Amino acid sequence: MKQIGNLEETVLLLIMIMSEEAYGFSVSQAYKDHTGKSISISAIHTVLSRLEDKGLIQSEMKGSTEERGGRRKRIFVMTSAGKEVIAEIKASREKLWSQIPGLS
Amino acid sequence: MRDQLLPKWIYRFLLWFVAEELQEEVCGDLIEAYRYRLKSHPKWKTDLWFIADVLRFFRPHSFEKYSRTKQYIPMIKNYFKIALRNIIKRKGFTVLNVSGLAISLSVVLLVGLFLSHHLSYDLQLPDSERIYRLENEYRSQSYAPFRFTNYYNSDRNDQLQSREFLKTFSWVDEVVYVLPSNSTISNQPDYVLELDDRKYTTGPVLFTSTPESFISVFAPEFLNGTTSAFIGDFQKILLTANLANSIFGTSWQEMDLIGKRVNMEVSSLESANYTIVGVVANPPANSNFNYELIVSTPRIPSWAAYTYFKTSQPIQASQLTSRINDRYAEIEPNFGQDERYEGVYVQELSDIHTSDRTILYEPAAKISKNVLTLFGIVALVILIITWTNYMNLSIAIYSRRQKEIGIRKVMGAEGRDIVFQLLTEIVLISLLAFPLAMLMVHGVLPSFNYLMSISIPTNMIWSPIFAFGILGVAVFTGLLSGIYPAIVFSKRNLLALFKSKINTSPGRFGFGLRRVLIGVQFVLLISMLSLTGFVYQQMVYINEKNLGFEENGVISIPTAGREQHTILRSRLKTLPQIDFVGSGSIPGTDPFNQTTYKVQGKEEVFDDAHVIYAEREVMRAIGVEHPVFNSLTEGKRRVHLINQSLAQKLMKTYTLSETELIGMTLIDEPEYTDPETGQVGFPRVIEGILPDINYFSLRYEVNPMMFLIDREQLWAYNTVIKIKEGEELPQVIGLIEDAYYEAGNTQPFSVDFLDQNLDQLYQRDQQVLWLISTLSLVAIFLGVMGLIGLVSYLVYTRQKEISIRKIFGASVGQIMLLMNKEFAILMFLALLIATPIVYQLAQNWLENFAYRITINPFLIVLAAFGTLLIVGSVVSFLSQKAAHTNPTDVLYEE
């Protein structure tokens, strides 16, 4: 299993949720809405490219808009490897949760 | 188009550094974020946010990928090759450039060494930030040594009073008494050591009566022996390596010196038997004490000691001063009752050498902070001149290489590549100057040390701080001067680069910038030239100022006492080569303590007068005469005169005339009452008025003085001799030396020459003046060289213009006028800027002197005119040459 950090995990989940609408700025907004903490765009870019290097997401340039001065977005989507990692994380967490005594 | 809302410059910056493949998404995201925020935030906030966002992107992640950098390596090789070829191709130019930079780098290094030497006095001591000196405030003067109860006649217990007092403060750890024998209050630079029945003359002795604290505060480095042998008991001697070398030879380390008994006469109150207990390292050059041996004695052989104390943690000196003064009266009962004792002053160890306070009896010469700042400024000016030279020259060089840059661009070089290449080249040139500068300083340092009478060790140059510092300055010079042309040329479009015309202005601001640079050069040149002029005038003024006495052929030798003096005098009187012999004080010393006085029958007590005791013969020796002196020959024992300054002061205070003043009684030290007779002070009738004599340095104004001139003094500390003019000095001194020993003196013979003493007095000033004028000459030289280089380039670029003008009928004279006009205007502006600056600086510096020249603004104009003359003659020479060239040669194009 690929090792991923907390921030990477959150971003990965956000990309899943935002299907086809995830790019640098939108992810940073979603992150802020979700966690209540703001994050710089450059930090998001770093995380995104790291995830892409690990093969958990893939990207494509498309969908230029007026707000961006006609520039295209790099849209990120999950790869199957990414989905697997998220599923594994969830499974391992749940296994741990189930073992907590007096909590069921 | 709404992009224009963004702060443009930062956007450009983003485009510059962000890798190409990232550009679209990053810019897109940032702009989207910007617009999104603009909806709910004010513009300035959004702008700041945007700037912060861009700066956050400024990291390796966003830069070009490494794979691209790899392609640079062959290019870097190429840049080096081209740079080296250019350096070799223009040999003369390179030599000029590199040597100019090397000179200014070495000046900066020398000034750096000089400043660090003077700012590091005694800082090598452990915990130097916790060491302070306790000083005396007595009457209106400050004394570096702290006086003892009962002065000279104090026993050990009396002497320890102030130490015991200091030790009652919980924050005082150690208190040390020291007395360097070459200080004014000891005034015996040499001693005679008797060891194994042989006599050796030593250099200055450092006495301490607190050996244990001495070891812990001054921490001498032991080369032989142990600290424990020095503490506990007294009458111990520590030799320095120097003295051990000169007594026992260089192999002293193998000899058994420790425990050797030594005889040394200090004073009648001290035992003369000492034991050698160790050898310590020589005191460093930047130490306030210079000594050849350290001697422990139960009491300090003087009326005061230099008192240092160490606290448990660093405390502000001003705070220490007030804490101690709060309990000042506890030191001794006298201090509480007598208003003449004004308290103590505490000085930090680091402050002693550069303090601007006038303190009597400093053990070592000081240097003013003003002077150090002045040196710093001059070094900076030299650096600025170098930078402007370099900037000008690099613009010139690259203007000639437009085509090369154009071709590189055609081949695919980007702006960044061009910038990188040009900077590599110019930094390479400036780096050539680095080893040269280091070697130059290495060679010059010994003579510099000698001239400034300091001793900076040569290996200081190679210490990391200085070596890397200078390397840094060299690289910075290259970068600073190259960055502007590099960016301008890398931005210029291809077509402009290929135009055969050489563009004078390498960009929108090019011409403006160059004018500014020339203007700056002019301002600096005018300032340096005229400041040097003022400094020189003041130097001459001091040298030629009439001091009010004769110094030639006057010598003074210390004597054991009245008896020896009388014998010596009677012998010398028989010598035909000698005019006068007497005892008493002579001018040319540092100021000493002042006395209090008042006019009989008046209330006010003044405390600003010096009392001079001398025999009539001494006054004759220094060429000071007064009719009143004649009464001495008629049987009077002593006459009392005052100087013009004191007379003026009294006449002004009490509106008296000169005739009224003579015959009035002055009471010296009115606070003293004779316990037996009840007599208040020492009343003396004013018998005459002497003209003002510059008894001390010209730094100080002549202050009120009383002269007590005796036919024959009751005591004698020295013998003053006036040698006839035209005599062979060494021969006469030899005769005097023989007579000196025959008269029963046992201390080694030493001579003070009055004229040498005077030179000594102004030595620091002379050194400072010398250094400043040399540095200004260097600055002027560099500035003129730079201007010549620039001017020749400018004329070269306007060759075509000149030719065309000639074709249209301009005369050679008109062309020369045209070329000179611009410089003349710039020079006029520079003069306007420089005048107030120079005036202020000269004023500040001259304030150090009580007697000074008046500032003549004409000199500044003269400096400007001189600079213009130099520049003008170069311009005229080159432009007439250009004007005489055949226009067809210039205008011909293939």
Side-chain angles (χ1 to χ4, degrees):
Chain A
M1 182 188 127
K2 297 256 185 203
Q3 281 292 324
I4 61 172
N6 212 342
L7 179 62
E8 285 174 353
E9 187 190 335
T10 316
V11 169
L12 213 47
L13 285 166
L14 287 171
I15 291 173
M16 269 178 111
I17 296 165
M18 294 164 71
S19 66
E20 292 288 315
E21 262 313 312
Y23 59 98
F25 173 63
S26 69
V27 174
S28 78
Q29 288 295 329
Y31 181 88
K32 194 183 167 189
D33 292 343
H34 171 67
T35 63
K37 285 182 280 186
S38 66
I39 186 165
S40 79
I41 296 175
S42 88
I44 288 292
H45 270 258
T46 316
V47 174
L48 288 174
S49 67
R50 215 183 291 148
L51 287 173
E52 195 171 11
D53 287 348
K54 289 177 182 172
L56 304 180
I57 53 175
Q58 59 190 33
S59 68
E60 205 183 330
M61 301 295 290
K62 58 181 174 186
S64 66
T65 61
E66 166 63 16
E67 292 87 54
R68 300 169 66 82
R71 288 173 188 84
R72 290 174 297 166
K73 306 162 180 169
R74 185 180 290 275
I75 300 288
F76 292 90
V77 289
M78 298 288 280
T79 61
S80 52
K83 287 174 186 155
E84 262 169 46
V85 166
I86 285 293
E88 269 175 53
I89 291 173
K90 186 167 183 253
S92 85
R93 291 274 157 85
E94 270 168 2
K95 200 174 158 195
L96 287 173
W97 275 103
S98 66
Q99 288 169 18
I100 300 174
L103 219 182
S104 63
Chain B
M1 280 304 104
R2 277 164 63 196
D3 281 12
Q4 275 166 350
L5 277 172
L6 296 169
K8 261 245 161 83
W9 58 273
I10 189 84
Y11 185 62
R12 252 191 243 139
F13 176 61
L14 177 72
L15 289 183
W16 177 70
F17 74 74
V18 145
E20 220 172 293
E21 62 269 21
L22 291 176
Q23 235 172 53
E24 187 167 5
E25 49 176 310
V26 168
C27 295
D29 276 353
L30 287 183
I31 289 170
E32 193 177 342
Y34 181 79
R35 299 213 171 136
Y36 173 80
R37 287 167 193 151
L38 205 54
K39 286 179 204 153
S40 46
H41 295 279
K43 175 157 164 47
W44 65 269
K45 216 169 177 176
T46 326
D47 280 354
L48 281 182
W49 211 331
F50 182 72
I51 292 169
D53 271 346
V54 169
L55 291 180
R56 283 204 191 106
F57 264 104
F58 189 70
R59 51 183 181 174
H61 176 75
S62 332
F63 301 159
E64 301 286 339
K65 286 289 165 279
Y66 184 64
S67 60
R68 252 188 75 88
T69 328
K70 260 189 190 158
Q71 298 166 5
Y72 278 137
I73 290 173
M75 276 325 278
I76 290 176
K77 269 189 187 162
N78 174 273
Y79 298 158
F80 268 93
K81 191 174 271 176
I82 298 288
L84 284 177
R85 277 183 194 162
N86 271 315
I87 288 170
I88 295 164
K89 192 171 137 202
R90 286 193 295 264
K91 281 191 200 75
F93 185 74
T94 309
V95 166
L96 204 71
N97 241 343
V98 169
S99 55
L101 182 57
I103 289 174
S104 74
L105 285 182
S106 23
V107 165
V108 170
L109 180 54
L110 268 185
V111 170
L113 288 168
F114 185 77
L115 294 188
S116 95
H117 170 82
H118 282 294
L119 291 173
S120 65
Y121 259 61
D122 281 339
L123 294 192
Q124 74 282 354
L125 297 182
D127 308 316
S128 59
E129 75 284 355
R130 295 196 272 128
I131 304 176
Y132 304 86
R133 188 171 73 181
L134 185 72
E135 294 162 8
N136 234 4
E137 301 271 33
Y138 181 64
R139 289 176 178 149
S140 56
Q141 290 175 299
S142 300
Y143 294 74
F146 202 83
R147 52 85 80 179
F148 300 133
T149 314
N150 297 331
Y151 292 98
Y152 276 110
N153 305 321
S154 51
D155 59 22
R156 179 169 169 81
N157 279 339
D158 291 339
Q159 292 198 346
L160 287 181
Q161 265 177 356
S162 51
R163 184 174 193 255
E164 295 305 320
F165 165 74
L166 280 178
K167 286 209 152 182
T168 60
F169 291 99
S170 58
W171 33 264
V172 171
D173 279 355
E174 300 284 357
V175 184
V176 192
Y177 287 167
V178 287
L179 174 73
S181 71
N182 52 349
S183 60
T184 320
I185 65 166
S186 176
N187 207 11
Q188 184 155 7
D190 313 322
Y191 282 88
V192 177
L193 274 187
E194 222 180 306
L195 173 79
D196 299 337
D197 295 327
R198 284 193 56 188
K199 287 187 177 179
Y200 304 91
T201 307
T202 74
V205 177
L206 188 67
F207 291 100
T208 180
S209 60
T210 57
E212 210 166 333
S213 303
F214 178 84
I215 295 288
S216 107
V217 174
F218 287 91
E221 186 198 337
F222 276 74
L223 306 175
N224 199 345
T226 54
T227 50
S228 56
F230 187 64
I231 62 184
D233 206 2
F234 300 105
Q235 307 298 116
K236 306 279 178 64
I237 286 184
L238 291 174
L239 305 176
T240 56
N242 253 350
L243 187 64
N245 272 341
S246 66
I247 295 183
F248 302 103
T250 42
S251 57
W252 59 265
Q253 255 153 336
E254 284 110 59
M255 296 164 77
D256 192 22
L257 312 179
I258 294 179
K260 274 196 187 297
R261 314 283 296 172
V262 171
N263 213 290
M264 187 175 85
E265 199 77 52
V266 175
S267 82
S268 54
L269 291 168
E270 261 71 42
S271 154
N273 300 312
Y274 296 88
T275 315
I276 297 177
V277 294
V279 179
V280 294
N282 297 323
N286 51 353
S287 162
N288 268 311
F289 300 128
N290 170 31
Y291 51 83
E292 285 212 326
L293 63 164
I294 302 167
V295 169
S296 71
T297 49
R299 62 181 286 281
I300 293 285
S302 183
W303 55 269
Y306 295 89
T307 305
Y308 290 80
F309 62 93
K310 192 172 186 170
T311 56
S312 43
Q313 76 241 30
I315 307 175
Q316 271 202 331
S318 56
Q319 219 186 354
L320 289 176
T321 305
S322 65
R323 282 194 208 174
I324 294 175
N325 275 334
D326 284 346
R327 290 174 44 201
Y328 179 58
E330 291 173 35
I331 302 180
E332 60 173 277
N334 244 344
F335 287 178
Q337 296 154 6
D338 193 331
E339 60 191 21
R340 286 173 298 171
Y341 296 100
E342 298 192 347
V344 302
Y345 185 87
V346 177
Q347 209 172 13
E348 278 156 38
L349 192 65
S350 59
D351 186 40
I352 292 175
H353 183 65
T354 53
S355 156
D356 283 327
R357 273 160 49 87
T358 306
I359 302 170
L360 296 183
Y361 312 136
E362 275 291 357
K366 298 199 293 187
I367 190 155
S368 152
K369 277 197 192 89
N370 286 340
V371 169
L372 295 182
T373 320
L374 197 62
F375 283 137
I377 291 175
V378 172
L380 195 67
V381 165
I382 289 180
L383 259 187
I384 294 175
I385 289 181
T386 314
W387 286 336
T388 48
N389 278 353
Y390 248 60
M391 225 181 268
N392 273 328
L393 288 170
S394 60
I395 294 174
I397 297 173
Y398 294 123
S399 313
R400 293 196 194 190
R401 289 171 57 187
Q402 297 200 57
K403 268 188 193 155
E404 182 198 330
I405 296 168
I407 287 174
R408 280 183 187 276
K409 279 199 168 180
V410 170
M411 306 294 273
E414 285 173 36
R416 245 173 304 167
D417 303 322
I418 304 287
V419 171
F420 189 73
Q421 185 207 347
L422 300 192
L423 285 184
T424 314
E425 206 169 307
I426 197 144
V427 168
L428 207 63
I429 297 180
S430 59
L431 278 182
L432 286 181
F434 169 71
L436 208 61
M438 295 302 269
L439 288 176
M440 267 160 82
V441 174
H442 195 99
V444 160
L445 195 60
S447 1
F448 180 73
N449 272 337
Y450 174 74
L451 282 167
M452 303 305 291
S453 55
I454 49 179
S455 38
I456 300 168
T458 318
N459 57 18
M460 272 268 280
I461 307 172
W462 305 99
S463 68
I465 296 178
F466 288 105
F468 281 111
I470 291 302
L471 191 64
V473 174
V475 172
F476 181 74
T477 307
L479 287 179
L480 184 78
S481 50
I483 197 89
Y484 177 77
I487 287 178
V488 168
F489 283 115
S490 67
K491 281 265 159 75
R492 178 165 294 175
N493 76 38
L494 267 176
L495 279 180
L497 287 170
F498 280 113
K499 272 188 193 155
S500 61
K501 174 180 165 256
I502 293 169
N503 207 336
T504 333
S505 47
R508 235 186 318 160
F509 311 107
F511 203 54
L513 177 79
R514 177 162 317 133
R515 275 198 179 143
V516 170
L517 289 181
I518 298 175
V520 168
Q521 291 266 33
F522 279 170
V523 171
L524 293 177
L525 278 178
I526 297 173
S527 314
M528 291 308 280
L529 264 175
S530 44
L531 272 179
T532 315
F534 290 128
V535 163
Y536 180 74
Q537 280 186 342
Q538 173 73 13
M539 197 150 73
V540 170
Y541 176 78
I542 287 226
N543 272 337
E544 290 182 353
K545 176 150 173 56
N546 183 6
L547 298 175
F549 59 86
E550 287 293 322
E551 71 260 31
N552 289 329
V554 179
I555 62 170
S556 167
I557 48 184
T559 194
R562 182 77 231 169
E563 191 187 330
Q564 288 85 346
H565 170 76
T566 316
I567 305 171
L568 179 59
R569 186 181 58 186
S570 57
R571 298 207 176 215
L572 293 178
K573 277 286 188 188
T574 61
L575 293 177
Q577 297 95 326
I578 283 167
D579 276 338
F580 307 108
V581 185
S583 80
S585 45
I586 51 168
T589 59
D590 283 325
F592 43 83
N593 54 330
Q594 296 161 355
T595 187
T596 48
Y597 61 96
K598 65 179 223 173
V599 175
Q600 194 168 48
K602 307 280 186 186
E603 276 308 308
E604 292 96 325
V605 177
F606 308 102
D607 76 339
D608 55 0
H610 284 102
V611 187
I612 310 291
Y613 295 89
E615 289 181 355
R616 193 202 173 177
E617 288 273 296
V618 173
M619 300 310 274
R620 274 186 168 152
I622 61 171
V624 178
E625 272 296 351
H626 194 278
V628 173
F629 292 168
N630 290 330
S631 55
L632 291 170
T633 9
E634 290 148 15
K636 213 168 162 202
R637 204 182 66 75
R638 165 177 279 186
V639 290
H640 172 226
L641 295 91
I642 60 175
N643 70 354
Q644 193 64 38
S645 294
L646 180 50
Q648 291 291 347
K649 178 180 173 135
L650 295 178
M651 275 152 45
K652 214 166 148 193
T653 316
Y654 302 115
T655 45
L656 301 167
S657 71
E658 211 172 289
T659 40
E660 284 174 299
L661 195 62
I662 291 174
M664 291 181 82
T665 304
L666 275 187
I667 299 175
D668 191 4
E669 290 195 58
E671 58 281 325
Y672 170 83
T673 308
D674 193 300
E676 281 165 30
T677 60
Q679 171 74 55
V680 174
F682 305 92
R684 295 178 200 122
V685 175
I686 300 171
E687 294 172 69
I689 297 168
L690 278 178
D692 278 342
I693 297 175
N694 282 290
Y695 221 81
F696 310 118
S697 161
L698 285 177
R699 274 187 184 280
Y700 313 103
E701 238 167 293
V702 172
N703 66 335
M705 285 188 175
M706 307 174 193
F707 287 85
L708 293 175
I709 308 303
D710 290 348
R711 181 155 44 97
E712 179 149 281
Q713 289 183 334
L714 296 173
W715 65 91
Y717 300 118
N718 66 343
T719 305
V720 178
I721 301 158
K722 162 82 177 172
I723 299 167
K724 269 207 179 73
E725 262 167 63
E727 292 294 337
E728 281 288 325
L729 264 186
Q731 192 204 337
V732 182
I733 300 287
L735 292 174
I736 296 172
E737 183 171 0
D738 293 342
Y740 172 82
Y741 287 118
E742 282 166 29
N745 288 297
T746 49
Q747 291 294 341
F749 179 72
S750 71
V751 188
D752 271 347
F753 292 87
L754 180 52
D755 47 359
Q756 282 177 9
N757 283 2
L758 289 172
D759 287 345
Q760 196 89 35
L761 224 47
Y762 301 110
Q763 193 195 22
R764 236 314 122 65
D765 295 329
Q766 299 281 6
Q767 286 169 346
V768 166
L769 299 179
W770 176 85
L771 190 53
I772 289 282
S773 24
T774 311
L775 290 185
S776 335
L777 284 182
V778 171
I780 292 162
F781 173 75
L782 289 175
V784 170
M785 291 306 289
L787 279 176
I788 290 177
L790 180 66
V791 163
S792 52
Y793 167 72
L794 283 183
V795 174
Y796 170 81
T797 56
R798 292 174 76 177
Q799 183 90 50
K800 266 187 187 169
E801 182 196 333
I802 293 172
S803 296
I804 291 170
R805 280 179 192 275
K806 236 189 121 182
I807 291 172
F808 282 115
S811 70
V812 174
Q814 278 170 323
I815 287 171
M816 281 165 66
L817 195 69
L818 176 84
M819 300 299 282
N820 273 309
K821 201 174 71 186
E822 191 185 322
F823 290 108
I825 294 169
L826 274 177
M827 181 62 73
F828 180 71
L829 286 176
L831 180 63
L832 287 186
I833 299 171
T835 308
I837 302 175
V838 170
Y839 197 86
Q840 194 55 44
L841 282 175
Q843 189 84 22
N844 276 357
W845 180 71
L846 286 171
E847 267 165 20
N848 283 329
F849 296 87
Y851 299 92
R852 50 184 181 246
I853 52 163
T854 46
I855 297 174
N856 186 353
F858 181 67
L859 191 70
I860 308 175
V861 179
L862 204 67
F865 191 71
T867 318
L868 191 58
L869 205 68
I870 298 170
V871 177
S873 55
V874 176
V875 173
S876 306
F877 173 74
L878 291 169
S879 50
Q880 67 86 19
K881 214 171 110 190
H884 277 120
T885 341
N886 187 346
T888 45
D889 291 343
V890 181
L891 296 175
Y892 173 77
E893 240 173 292
E894 284 184 56

